[in-house]
Amino acid sequence: MKANKTSETSEAADQVIHEVDGIQEYDNKLPNWWLYTFYGAIAFGVGYWYWYESAQIGASPAQSYQAELDQAAAAQASEITVGEATPEALAALAKDPSAVALGKQVFTSTCAACHRNDGGGSVGPNLTDEFWLHGGAPEKIFRTIASGVPDKGMPAWQPQLGALKTQAVTAYVLGLKGTNVAGGKVPQGERESVSSR
Ligand code: HEC
């Protein structure tokens, strides 16, 4: 028994590669499962770097997030159904956030040049006050936008924008109504109370 133990210790002593404070480290072979994990991680790392960083085949988190946002916006926009532009339908659209968001996009790209980004007016009249040249009721605003006032410099938009965008931008303009932005153009037309919206 005693001899056995000594031989074990001396065999082990051969393998000790260093000893610090009585803790001995042996020169053991690394287990295969460990080695495979290690080499696998390196191979994965190289592959990952190639796919996302070097060749950029895969989308970055920012890109895939943007793609999802675009998809969601498109899905929402296609959910907006347009029928007849009745006062009720327009009032309902004005309460629909995705219709209003689409309308805002249209307004910024198409209308802001003449009505200012916030609707305060420049070439075209102020859309944020209570005064209207062609009526401030939802269906009247829609008609002005859809058919325009060609001889006064307001183009007809329905032929260019189509029904959906024309109604959506009407919904957005209905929300501008009565916001009375600072520095807006002086009132033009007849006063109509905000409560008529
Ligand atoms: C080229 C300049 C121009 C562009 C672009 C333009 N408008 Fe106008 N808009 C005008 C002018 C000018 C008037 C005033 C017409 C008048 O004097 O009768 C007007 C009038 C209006 C009115 C009626 C205001 C009232 O007091 O009754 C609305 C509503 C309106 N525009 C909305 C829009 C929307 C929405 C768009 C974008 C789709 C748009 N406009 C784009 C020039 C423009």
Side-chain angles (χ1 to χ4, degrees), residues 1-9:
M1 273 287 147
K2 197 161 190 247
N4 220 343
K5 185 150 198 216
T6 331
S7 83
E8 244 178 47
T9 343

Side-chain angles (χ1 to χ4, degrees), residues 19-36:
E19 179 177 344
V20 177
D21 287 347
I23 300 170
Q24 298 179 327
E25 193 185 344
Y26 295 84
D27 186 15
N28 285 336
K29 197 169 172 292
L30 290 163
N32 281 342
W33 66 262
W34 193 93
L35 285 173
Y36 291 143

